[in-house]
Amino acid sequence: MNKKYIMALDAGTTSCRAILFDKEGNIVRISQKEFTQYYPHSAWVEHDAMEIWGTMMGVMREVIETSLISPEDISCIGITNQRETTVVWNKETGKPIYNAIVWQCRRTADYCEELEKEGYSEVVKSKTGLKIDAYFSATKIKWILENVEGARELADEGKLLFGTIDTWLIWNLTRGKSHVTDYTNASRTMIFNINDLTWDKDLIEKFDIPESMLPEAKASSTIFGHTDEKMLAGARIPISGCAGDQQASMFGQACFDIGDVKNTYGTGCFVMMNTGNKPIYSNYGLLTTIAWGIDNEVEYALEGSIFIGGSLIQWLRDELKMIDTSEDSEYYSNKVKDNNGVYIVPAFTGLGAPYWDMYARGTIVGLTRGAKKEHIIRAALEAIAYQSKDVMMSMKDDSNIDINKLKVDGGASNNGFLMQFQSDLLGIDVYKSKLSESTALGAAFLAGLGIGMYKDKEEIKSICSYDKIYTPSSENDKFDEYYNTWKNAVKRSLDWAK
């Protein structure tokens, strides 16, 4: 094959990136540009979908021009994206009728509470694997149809299209020829039945969304369309991979076996477990979602989100002024032999799984006269590991699957103290990938698989190598005691704001 490169398009929440990979997963060139965040009212978050499209085109062209390759050298394109963010546009003009409503936006929270009171929680969970929440796309679509002048009429006339950001980009890259999404993004809309892989007629009727607006849902590794010839100097490049950001990260980490778990240590933490070809529903409020679809097979995952991860280190730096850089946290944590009984519960915005207490608030407990800033900094890093264990133990209980290793990525995975403590706390090996950009890499792998550049997942697994493997120490009893004390600390934070 003469075409040597795969281009991954990573449409994040604050920026667009285009990354050129070779077949071995090495980065050849990367270009990134931020776009505008809009906050029209309290708890409302929006993006300009046209700006996202323009920004993505800009970084695509920059990558090609600065790497001195021809678009003809690009074998395929893979897309990964911020999930749940909702775009509604007029298919005749190609223009959005309203700003994209971002996954963080809470404007439909009251309507979600109404649905819960009406008893729809179990219906939504059994069909979509999700909790009723303003986070997901369905109530955002409904809001646009009910609040944007003329939207309902246009929708009833079949003139409006809906898509998450992947759908919006593919539609533009193909000049309107492909209105598609993949199973992972569809599974985050709250109207997609993850059991039969179709838009659920009962739910779209409940949300009063015309079926004509919805994209075709396809496997994550397949041909979604081709770039229009006028787009990239005459090249007609297949778009052959697509997945939401967390699923793409999981694929990029080669979590292909049942029980494989990855944790992305970012601003928050996103933990996902591969549960195989059957969805497993959680008793702890974890989400059941589609991991990916390849060929005629779909694999599922359990997902747990930790609200405060790396942002806890930013808090130490920016608000408490205890450290100058995030990297300093590792240095200070290693200056003391333990946390001296200090525990931080970072419930700044409440606690998620397995506690689900919106009234919990952040606490620091166990302070004595001998407590130093090093102990507080160490307690902050330990708190990230404790929260991750909380979610993983919930996954283990829900699935009855043993977790024998953890694969990690994200900025805080570069913190050696945190990763070693995580390994000690869990009693398992922690694998830090040598290949950076696992989210974009997952999209690239899916795209390469979709055109036969890779034979199968085993070939992809053979490419993945690890920068470092953290192995647990033998002092298991000590870490069990630490974890039990953490659970007691959590009890002190619950219901505080009530």
Side-chain angles (χ1 to χ4, degrees):
M1 182 181 287
N2 293 325
K3 297 184 177 183
K4 298 179 286 188
Y5 305 111
I6 304 172
M7 181 181 283
L9 305 182
D10 185 348
T13 305
T14 60
S15 68
C16 287
R17 299 188 303 161
I19 305 178
L20 204 62
F21 290 98
D22 64 18
K23 187 180 177 183
E24 286 69 45
N26 300 306
I27 294 175
V28 177
R29 185 69 64 176
I30 182 169
S31 176
Q32 178 171 348
K33 186 177 180 183
E34 294 185 354
F35 50 80
T36 311
Q37 309 291 308
Y38 296 95
Y39 307 98
H41 300 286
S42 175
W44 289 29
V45 191
E46 296 177 0
H47 293 154
D48 180 345
M50 291 301 292
E51 183 186 3
I52 290 176
W53 164 236
T55 302
M56 186 61 82
M57 276 304 300
V59 293
M60 286 173 65
R61 287 175 173 149
E62 183 175 332
V63 156
I64 292 169
E65 290 168 6
T66 58
S67 58
L68 302 178
I69 67 163
S70 164
E72 296 289 345
D73 293 325
I74 300 171
S75 59
C76 55
I77 292 173
I79 294 176
T80 184
N81 56 288
Q82 50 163 313
R83 303 172 300 177
E84 299 96 16
T85 295
T86 297
V87 186
V88 174
W89 68 96
N90 187 316
K91 68 180 180 182
E92 294 178 352
T93 67
K95 301 290 178 65
I97 64 167
Y98 189 78
N99 275 347
I101 301 181
V102 182
W103 59 273
Q104 300 156 313
C105 187
R106 305 300 300 171
R107 75 185 66 190
T108 60
D110 289 347
Y111 177 59
C112 290
E113 288 183 12
E114 289 177 22
L115 288 173
E116 288 179 337
K117 289 175 182 174
E118 290 175 26
Y120 273 89
S121 294
E122 279 306 311
V123 174
V124 168
K125 179 180 177 180
S126 65
K127 291 187 173 192
T128 71
L130 307 176
K131 293 166 61 73
I132 293 176
D133 198 274
Y135 185 44
F136 305 110
S137 309
T139 60
K140 302 179 193 300
I141 305 170
K142 181 178 176 64
W143 187 94
I144 290 173
L145 293 179
E146 292 182 349
N147 290 276
V148 176
E149 187 176 353
R152 176 62 66 186
E153 292 76 11
L154 288 170
D156 290 341
E157 292 169 10
K159 294 180 180 178
L160 294 187
L161 299 178
F162 152 74
T164 41
I165 296 298
D166 58 305
T167 301
W168 170 243
L169 291 177
I170 294 170
W171 193 84
N172 280 287
L173 285 166
T174 61
R175 297 264 178 161
K177 293 185 179 70
S178 295
H179 182 222
V180 293
T181 189
D182 91 297
Y183 292 148
T184 71
N185 280 293
S187 73
R188 312 294 295 192
T189 59
M190 214 161 72
I191 49 175
F192 189 74
N193 192 311
I194 62 172
N195 302 288
D196 59 22
L197 306 179
T198 60
W199 299 108
D200 191 271
K201 292 189 180 300
D202 293 336
L203 290 176
I204 62 176
E205 183 178 332
K206 175 62 181 174
F207 290 108
D208 200 13
I209 299 169
E211 196 166 358
S212 61
M213 292 180 66
L214 304 177
E216 178 188 358
K218 304 179 73 168
S220 309
S221 184
T222 191
I223 302 295
F224 292 88
H226 292 78
T227 58
D228 185 86
E229 289 89 341
K230 297 176 183 177
M231 200 72 61
L232 296 169
R236 193 168 179 269
I237 305 170
I239 304 162
S240 51
C242 180
D245 52 10
Q246 297 309 317
Q247 286 93 334
S249 168
M250 192 177 181
F251 200 84
Q253 292 265 38
C255 293
F256 300 151
D257 299 322
I258 293 175
D260 279 355
V261 179
K262 75 93 189 175
N263 191 1
T264 298
Y265 295 82
T267 303
C269 295
F270 290 89
V271 187
M272 293 190 84
M273 170 195 264
N274 186 326
T275 61
N277 58 12
K278 290 185 179 178
I280 292 174
Y281 295 90
S282 176
N283 294 314
Y284 296 95
L286 303 176
L287 302 180
T288 305
T289 195
I290 294 175
W292 47 72
I294 296 173
D295 297 326
N296 296 317
E297 289 190 9
V298 168
E299 293 178 55
Y300 295 89
L302 280 170
E303 178 178 335
S305 300
I306 295 158
F307 301 153
I308 304 296
S311 58
L312 184 57
I313 310 307
Q314 294 169 346
W315 176 69
L316 293 178
R317 182 192 67 198
D318 299 339
E319 276 72 39
L320 297 192
K321 310 295 185 187
M322 285 189 171
I323 53 177
D324 294 323
T325 68
S326 297
E327 290 75 19
D328 289 344
S329 62
E330 181 175 357
Y331 169 79
Y332 285 114
S333 295
N334 283 317
K335 295 286 281 184
V336 288
K337 64 181 176 62
D338 57 33
N339 64 14
N340 197 26
V342 177
Y343 288 79
I344 295 178
V345 182
F348 298 156
T349 55
L351 287 173
Y355 309 104
W356 292 114
D357 184 351
M358 73 178 76
Y359 298 106
R361 287 297 177 267
T363 59
I364 303 178
V365 298
L367 292 172
T368 61
R369 184 63 182 82
K372 302 188 294 186
K373 83 170 185 177
E374 289 86 348
H375 296 126
I376 293 173
I377 293 167
R378 180 171 176 139
L381 289 180
E382 291 180 356
I384 298 172
Y386 292 132
Q387 292 178 100
S388 299
K389 178 165 181 170
D390 284 339
V391 171
M392 291 173 66
M393 292 304 96
S394 300
M395 288 176 168
K396 182 179 177 181
D397 287 349
D398 281 330
S399 65
N400 202 27
I401 297 170
D402 285 331
I403 300 170
N404 51 33
K405 62 176 175 282
L406 173 66
K407 298 180 179 181
V408 301
D409 61 5
S413 69
N414 294 313
N415 189 303
F417 172 84
L418 174 58
M419 293 300 100
Q420 184 60 56
F421 190 84
Q422 189 76 84
S423 174
D424 290 333
L425 188 66
L426 293 168
I428 60 176
D429 291 346
V430 171
Y431 289 69
K432 183 181 180 296
S433 177
K434 183 179 289 186
L435 300 174
S436 61
E437 304 291 351
S438 62
T439 300
L441 183 60
F445 281 155
L446 285 165
L449 194 63
I451 61 162
M453 194 174 189
Y454 303 110
K455 179 183 175 184
D456 51 27
K457 289 189 291 185
E458 287 304 310
E459 182 179 356
I460 291 171
K461 189 184 288 188
S462 71
I463 295 171
C464 295
S465 57
Y466 299 94
D467 187 41
K468 181 151 186 167
I469 299 174
Y470 295 88
T471 303
S473 69
S474 57
E475 301 173 339
N476 289 336
D477 291 346
K478 180 172 72 173
F479 288 95
D480 289 343
E481 182 183 335
Y482 289 164
Y483 186 58
N484 288 333
T485 309
W486 156 260
K487 301 287 267 188
N488 283 332
V490 169
K491 290 177 184 176
R492 270 59 176 185
S493 75
L494 299 178
D495 282 334
W496 184 264
K498 219 169 191 178

